[in-house]
Amino acid sequence: MFDKLRRIVRELGACNAALYALDRLLAAASGGRAHVYKYHLVAQPVRADGVAALRTDAKLRIEEAGPNHPLRAHFPRPQHIIEQRFAQGARCLVANSSGSFAGYLWWQTGQYDEDEVRCLFVLADPKASVWDFDVYVEPRYRLGRTMARLWDEATRRLYAEGMRWSFSRISGFNAASIASHARLGLRPVCSAVFVVIGRWQLSLFSRRPFVHIGLRDRPVLNLSVPR
């Protein structure tokens, strides 16, 4: 147990490790009705030349998916969530490995209504920025370059459409995600902690609105492109 604790502190830092421990305690004591979430809000530059020099892979194809894409049934989210995303105008890139689902990446323009907690992220410059979310790679493809290829294709498409920044949130409890985003040149924008107990939610931000407490309403966080 102590070895696991030391590993978590080493990977996440003392503050994030303490919040993670609090989340586990609250979830266990409440039967899953109470949680603590820690987010890092970041912005990544969108470049014309992609993110890396990647060798071609004849088996892996990155393609944009619509509502009727043949691999949609293999998406790792409930189908009503996928339907809701498409209805809201979200776009999706799929990694297709010889006909098998290998992963995907989503993005949304204008604003993004967070689905893990109650929070609306509004992009101050929607003509030059997007919100990317739910970047997922199937476990058997995670040792390869599938994520890099997804983001490489996404950034090329977004740049051609005039986008220069992509915002996203990273869990403060996911060291691997933090490391992979750091390799893409992210810039910190804001941090946020959400304490959810049933329908009550306490939101703490490192910038305006700083604090929000609500039973049903949601805080709104405006995100400007980095200088």
Side-chain angles (χ1 to χ4, degrees):
M1 181 179 67
F2 290 109
D3 288 340
K4 181 179 180 180
L5 180 60
R6 282 196 293 267
R7 177 177 58 80
I8 292 174
V9 172
R10 184 173 63 252
E11 291 179 351
L12 303 180
C15 181
N16 286 343
L19 290 172
Y20 175 77
L22 179 60
D23 171 63
R24 296 296 81 203
L25 288 172
L26 286 176
S30 65
R33 295 184 67 253
H35 282 282
V36 176
Y37 301 90
K38 168 66 180 293
Y39 292 162
H40 298 291
L41 282 299
V42 300
Q44 298 168 189
V46 174
R47 300 187 177 94
D49 57 351
V51 297
L54 300 173
R55 291 179 297 177
T56 58
D57 185 341
K59 294 183 178 180
L60 188 68
R61 186 170 71 254
I62 307 299
E63 56 197 18
E64 185 161 358
N68 299 316
H69 193 276
L71 293 180
R72 172 179 163 168
H74 301 282
F75 289 3
R77 302 291 180 263
Q79 287 301 307
H80 73 277
I81 295 294
I82 302 300
E83 190 68 35
Q84 184 181 58
R85 290 178 180 180
F86 281 124
Q88 293 176 348
R91 294 169 64 184
C92 177
L93 282 184
V94 171
N96 184 335
S97 180
S98 301
S100 298
F101 174 73
Y104 63 21
L105 177 154
W106 293 79
W107 72 83
Q108 179 87 44
T109 58
Q111 62 185 34
Y112 177 68
D113 195 356
E114 175 62 50
D115 58 8
E116 190 172 54
V117 297
R118 294 195 308 275
C119 190
L120 182 66
F121 301 110
V122 178
L123 303 178
D125 190 354
K127 293 183 178 180
S129 58
V130 298
W131 179 274
D132 72 83
F133 64 100
D134 199 10
V135 182
Y136 175 85
V137 175
E138 284 282 285
R140 61 184 171 135
Y141 297 105
R142 290 177 185 173
L143 293 179
R145 305 285 287 173
T146 301
M147 180 179 176
R149 293 182 186 280
L150 276 168
W151 184 248
D152 183 74
E153 179 63 22
T155 196
R156 291 176 188 273
R157 292 181 182 227
L158 291 171
Y159 190 92
E161 296 173 8
M163 301 301 170
R164 296 298 180 263
W165 291 94
S166 182
F167 290 86
S168 58
R169 58 93 169 157
I170 309 172
S171 171
F173 306 151
N174 190 335
S177 182
I178 294 172
S180 63
H181 279 76
R183 289 192 292 270
L184 299 176
L186 65 80
R187 293 197 190 177
V189 174
C190 175
S191 61
V193 175
F194 299 88
V195 181
V196 180
I197 303 175
R199 293 183 178 180
W200 287 96
Q201 178 177 286
L202 168 64
S203 309
L204 304 172
F205 302 98
S206 62
R207 54 181 292 182
R208 292 182 182 277
F210 296 112
V211 179
H212 180 276
I213 302 175
L215 180 60
R216 297 181 185 275
D217 57 331
R218 60 187 177 180
V220 177
L221 189 65
N222 293 290
L223 300 171
S224 300
V225 297
R227 295 182 178 180

